[in-house]
Amino acid sequence: MVDILTDDHREMVELLGEVQRTADASRRRALTDTVIAEVMRHAVAEERYVYPAVEEKVPDGPRKVAHDKEEHQEIVELMKAIEDLDAAGPEFMERVKELDAELRHHAHDEETRQFPELRAHLSTDELSALGSKVEMAKKLAPTRPHPNAPHSELFHKTLGPGVGLVDRLRDALTGRHTG
Ligand SMILES: [Fe+2]
Ligand SMILES: [Fe+2]
């Protein structure tokens, strides 16, 4: 479980780095939508499977999870701001940099604090069962475009890029349907 989530963190940070190195606005938009989709898949899987285990098994778990969920919410708000912005405009990259910083901070917290605590308080079997659930949750999630094929037809047919993406992803991921 720890390996899967740590790999996700690396991938998000790498993709955001690529966004910041990309001059072409439409490719930047597509890469950013890919990051947003990745982050939502990851966050929904964590909140559904990993955080409840922290609440139950880790000392002071509920308080720690409340903090982590607050950070998720900040990240979600930032992604919502980004989805509304023109990828060619001046504010876009500033917001992307903020997202980069928040994601690194949150991932670092989890890797240095939460994961070692889970390792300490869950059995190997419990950890690998959690890993399978996280994997499954990610497979059920809508297809995302591969970073090198940013205009993946399936992804955009399923969800479409841009405005409302965060909410639509969350609905698709949680099986919640809005009007
Ligand atoms: Fe998280
Ligand atoms: Fe995470």
Side-chain angles (χ1 to χ4, degrees):
M1 180 219 76
V2 169
D3 290 342
I4 299 166
L5 297 175
T6 306
D7 282 351
D8 280 358
H9 293 162
R10 299 273 163 284
E11 196 179 349
M12 291 169 197
V13 167
E14 272 169 32
L15 275 169
L16 274 176
E18 208 179 327
V19 171
Q20 291 169 81
R21 288 190 300 273
T22 300
D24 177 67
S26 72
R27 177 156 170 79
R28 204 187 271 166
R29 166 91 270 159
L31 283 166
T32 303
D33 288 349
T34 304
V35 178
I36 289 174
E38 279 300 284
V39 172
M40 288 307 288
R41 274 158 33 105
H42 179 90
V44 167
E46 281 184 340
E47 292 191 15
R48 183 173 293 170
Y49 298 113
V50 182
Y51 289 6
V54 175
E55 282 175 326
E56 197 190 330
K57 308 267 182 173
V58 171
D60 205 17
R63 191 190 56 81
K64 290 168 180 166
V65 165
H67 170 81
D68 283 329
K69 283 188 176 171
E70 256 172 49
E71 290 190 349
H72 277 191
Q73 194 49 38
E74 282 168 24
I75 288 166
V76 163
E77 293 304 325
L78 203 43
M79 293 194 303
K80 281 189 178 187
I82 290 169
E83 71 180 23
D84 288 338
L85 290 171
D86 176 1
E91 208 192 328
F92 189 85
M93 218 46 111
E94 275 171 42
R95 292 296 189 149
V96 164
K97 280 192 187 122
E98 276 177 52
L99 180 62
D100 192 333
E102 284 203 22
L103 277 176
R104 280 172 194 267
H105 165 85
H106 182 71
H108 182 260
D109 259 18
E110 287 181 341
E111 287 169 23
T112 57
R113 180 178 52 83
Q114 185 189 85
F115 296 169
E117 283 179 328
L118 280 168
R119 279 199 167 114
H121 297 283
L122 270 73
S123 69
T124 315
D125 283 353
E126 287 171 319
L127 282 172
S128 81
L130 267 185
S132 308
K133 284 182 180 165
V134 167
E135 278 283 280
M136 207 150 65
K138 289 176 56 177
K139 278 193 191 120
L140 293 174
T143 314
R144 68 182 175 88
H146 187 273
N148 294 321
H151 296 292
S152 157
E153 211 182 317
L154 185 59
F155 178 78
H156 287 303
K157 236 185 227 162
T158 315
L159 286 162
V163 178
L165 181 62
V166 169
D167 284 331
R168 284 178 294 129
L169 276 165
R170 186 156 44 192
D171 288 350
L173 287 162
T174 56
R176 200 163 56 194
H177 297 287
T178 49

